[in-house]
Amino acid sequence: MRMDSGRVILVVEDSDEDFEATLRAFRKTEANRPVRRCVDGEEALDYLLCRGRYAEEGKAPKAALVLLDLNLPGTDGQEVLEQIKANVAIRGTPVVVLTTSSSPIDIDACYHRGASSYIIKPVDFKQLLGTIRQLNEYWFEAVTLPGGPL
């Protein structure tokens, strides 16, 4: 397994309960990668662009993968995705939408805006665990990500 503790998984999730479940699932899969959290779209963009409270060097380790909820307060997930993909400095960062929405309109819009994948959040923890295990295996074992070896 190729791992680098300097590259993190950035989870953009406003729900404490959903974030804790996702974090538990990553721990159970023994993914040896740090997980960081942003609770809204503006914070996520600040993190990814190293601005605001993340401007100081070392405050925002480079994200290897962004897990993005759509239903965020303020700047929503669709807008965050659009801004990530429009910014040359961060557009190569894979963004996986992990949300409760099964709307074909949301799914199409996310892929149109450049989402790497779209996953409908399972409500059952056992199913979530399986989803996170597959996500981890695919994105960190099978795929070669930009930015050098992981």
Side-chain angles (χ1 to χ4, degrees):
M1 185 181 294
R2 298 172 294 155
M3 292 291 169
D4 172 0
S5 61
R7 305 266 317 267
V8 303
I9 298 168
L10 180 63
V11 178
V12 186
E13 174 61 66
D14 63 318
S15 164
D16 292 339
E17 188 175 288
D18 286 354
F19 174 72
E20 288 303 322
T22 302
L23 189 58
R24 277 195 331 267
F26 270 113
R27 286 181 181 144
K28 283 195 174 278
T29 64
E30 298 178 9
N32 296 326
R33 182 166 303 282
V35 175
R36 294 283 183 98
R37 178 189 185 193
C38 291
V39 296
D40 61 41
E42 278 305 310
E43 182 185 5
L45 291 168
D46 284 351
Y47 183 97
L48 292 165
L49 294 168
C50 300
R51 63 186 190 197
R53 73 180 207 195
Y54 297 104
E56 186 180 321
E57 190 171 335
K59 285 269 188 176
K62 185 170 173 64
L65 179 71
V66 176
L67 293 183
L68 178 64
D69 186 26
L70 292 183
N71 305 311
L72 298 169
T75 305
D76 72 5
Q78 296 271 4
E79 178 64 21
V80 171
L81 176 60
E82 195 167 293
Q83 288 191 42
I84 290 170
K85 296 307 175 181
N87 187 299
V88 76
I90 57 174
R91 78 168 52 137
T93 305
V95 179
V96 174
V97 175
L98 181 62
T99 189
T100 57
S101 174
S102 60
S103 164
I105 293 169
D106 285 341
I107 296 166
D108 290 348
C110 286
Y111 281 116
H112 178 74
R113 285 180 169 96
S116 303
S117 295
Y118 190 104
I119 299 172
I120 299 168
K121 229 183 263 185
V123 291
D124 175 75
F125 182 74
K126 187 174 181 180
Q127 291 173 332
L128 177 64
L129 179 60
T131 297
I132 295 298
R133 181 172 282 119
Q134 289 175 333
L135 181 136
N136 186 59
E137 288 172 357
Y138 179 75
W139 285 104
F140 298 112
E141 294 179 23
V143 171
T144 300
L145 294 171
L150 295 176

